[in-house]
């Protein structure tokens, strides 16, 4: 009898444990998966990186994030950053457009702001011309103005030196510039991680933030005769501004070697995700890659 009672108790205890375990399993099945469990997307771009802009240590996605690649016009993020970091910067200071700036874009079949030789254009306007239509003529004008030297070549070389110094000051090991606009001479490269950090640093400037989220801008310049010229509107090449809610920047890039690149940033629910895709296959594809990474970044942040 005693043995029977003990056996019955054992059965009851085992049943209770089983019921408890079952309840725990049922409860677990109803618990939402943690944010970290979100499946990482597959992108066509050869390199990609995303981080939480509020914490540069917070990587959310990596794909060949430290592989050096040609960056195309995403280089111009650093061009703008160097200009905006100048001491005693006067955004209303005027620059006279030289024939060499125009000849340069024609010679290289480069993207341009269609600046007109002899016109006086403000630094602020040049920054819009640099970042929206990706004007290599605007980039040349800014490098010529903010580089130091007695000749144009010396000033441009000095400005590119400032770009490299800025990269070193950010602690970037895989970035080097040999141009002010991304039309490289064999040694203009960065990585998805480095470019994202350059953009994150540039976004600390309110002027930069205002420019890169602007879809269209019309500049009023001063002609040789002193009259006012209203330029054709410059349209931002970043299609995400119109197709992804919360987008706040940053910059496109393309080229035979660079393929299709995009540095992007968006803010939702008070959180900002910033990232880069390099060497995608087309304009629509780089935007699709970026949207996937933004969605993933926000899902990770919860």
């Amino acid at each position: 009898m005693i043995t029977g009672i003990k056996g019955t108790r054992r059965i009851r205890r085992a049943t209770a444990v089983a019921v408890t375990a079952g309840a725990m399993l049922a409860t677990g099945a109803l618990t939402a998966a943690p944010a970290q469990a979100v499946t990482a997307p597959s992108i066509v771009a050869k390199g990609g990186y995303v981080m939480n802009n509020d914490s540069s240590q917070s990587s959310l996605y990596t794909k060949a994030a430290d592989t050096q690649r040609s960056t195309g016009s995403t280089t111009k993020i650093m061009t703008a950053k160097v200009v905006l970091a100048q001491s005693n910067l006067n955004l209303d200071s005027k620059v006279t457009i030289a024939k060499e700036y125009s000849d340069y874009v024609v010679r290289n079949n480069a993207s341009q702001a269609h600046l007109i030789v002899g016109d006086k254009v403000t630094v602020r306007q040049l920054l819009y011309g640099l970042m929206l239509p990706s004007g290599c003529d605007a980039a040349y004008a800014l490098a010529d103005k903010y580089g130091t030297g007695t000749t144009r070549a010396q000033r441009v070389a000095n400005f590119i030196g400032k770009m490299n110094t800025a990269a070193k000051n950010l602690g970037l090991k895989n970035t080097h510039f040999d141009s002010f606009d991304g039309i490289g001479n064999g040694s203009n490269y960065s990585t998805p991680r480095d470019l994202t950090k350059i953009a994150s640093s540039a976004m600390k400037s309110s002027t930069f933030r205002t420019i890169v989220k602007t879809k269209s801008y019309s500049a009023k310049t001063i002609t040789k005769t002193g009259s006012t010229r209203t330029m054709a509107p410059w349209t931002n090449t970043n299609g995400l501004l119109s197709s992804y809610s919360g987008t706040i920047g940053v910059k496109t890039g393309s080229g035979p070697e660079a393929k299709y690149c995009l540095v992007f940033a968006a803010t939702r629910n008070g959180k900002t995700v910033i990232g880069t895709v390099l060497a995608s296959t087309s304009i629509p594809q780089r935007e699709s890659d970026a949207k996937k990474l933004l969605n993933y970044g926000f899902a990770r942040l919860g």
Side-chain angles (χ1 to χ4, degrees):
M1 287 294 291
I2 293 169
T3 306
I5 292 166
K6 281 182 179 173
T8 303
R9 282 175 182 159
R10 281 198 199 101
I11 290 166
R12 282 178 184 156
R13 203 177 290 122
T15 303
V17 169
V19 169
T20 304
M24 287 171 69
L25 283 169
T27 305
L30 295 172
T31 303
Q36 289 81 353
V38 181
T39 304
S42 173
I43 60 171
V44 172
K46 289 183 179 175
Y49 181 77
V50 173
M51 73 180 194
N52 174 2
N53 194 52
D54 298 322
S55 170
S56 61
Q57 306 307 312
S58 179
S59 298
L60 300 171
Y61 175 94
T62 61
K63 176 183 178 180
D66 299 308
T67 301
Q68 296 171 356
R69 297 186 189 279
S70 176
T71 57
S73 285
T74 61
T75 297
K76 290 171 179 144
I77 298 169
M78 183 60 97
T79 309
K81 177 176 160 57
V82 168
V83 170
L84 289 166
Q86 297 298 306
S87 58
N88 302 315
L89 177 67
N90 178 7
L91 291 169
D92 296 319
S93 174
K94 291 183 176 61
V95 176
T96 302
I97 302 306
K99 185 173 184 292
E100 179 51 28
Y101 310 158
S102 179
D103 291 347
Y104 171 81
V105 290
V106 171
R107 188 165 63 244
N108 288 283
N109 191 29
S111 54
Q112 57 175 306
H114 299 282
L115 299 171
I116 295 167
V117 175
D119 276 14
K120 288 184 173 62
V121 185
T122 69
V123 171
R124 189 192 311 276
Q125 291 168 339
L126 286 172
L127 287 166
Y128 276 97
L130 174 78
M131 299 305 287
L132 271 63
S134 200
C136 295
D137 44 358
Y140 197 162
L142 289 166
D144 191 8
K145 178 170 178 63
Y146 291 106
T148 302
T150 54
T151 67
R152 185 167 286 134
Q154 286 173 347
R155 291 191 293 272
V156 166
N158 176 265
F159 185 87
I160 294 167
K162 290 181 181 181
M163 293 169 70
N164 285 312
T165 298
K168 281 182 189 143
N169 290 343
L170 286 172
L172 308 181
K173 310 279 191 210
N174 292 304
T175 295
H176 185 267
F177 300 106
D178 69 2
S179 77
F180 48 74
D181 57 3
I183 301 177
N185 300 296
S187 188
N188 199 92
Y189 56 82
S190 189
T191 68
R193 189 190 307 268
D194 281 8
L195 266 176
T196 302
K197 290 185 175 181
I198 292 169
S200 180
S201 175
M203 291 290 271
K204 290 175 182 174
S205 160
S206 60
T207 300
F208 184 88
R209 290 197 306 273
T210 297
I211 291 169
V212 297
K213 72 178 180 184
T214 301
K215 293 180 185 177
S216 181
Y217 180 87
S218 294
K220 285 183 166 53
T221 63
I222 306 300
T223 68
K224 287 180 191 174
T225 59
S227 61
T228 301
R229 184 198 310 281
T230 301
M231 300 286 290
W234 291 324
T235 302
N236 201 317
T237 54
N238 182 3
L240 293 185
L241 289 167
S242 300
S243 64
Y244 191 86
S245 175
T247 297
I248 56 173
V250 172
K251 184 74 187 74
T252 61
S254 61
E257 189 183 355
K259 305 305 179 190
Y260 295 88
C261 311
L262 182 56
V263 181
F264 50 87
T267 298
R268 289 184 177 178
N269 300 319
K271 294 172 183 175
T272 299
V273 170
I274 189 165
T276 299
V277 288
L278 293 182
S280 195
T281 54
S282 67
I283 290 173
Q285 189 59 59
R286 74 183 173 196
E287 291 181 7
S288 174
D289 286 344
K291 287 174 185 176
K292 284 182 184 178
L293 294 187
L294 283 165
N295 287 340
Y296 178 68
F298 285 121
R300 284 284 308 275
L301 291 178

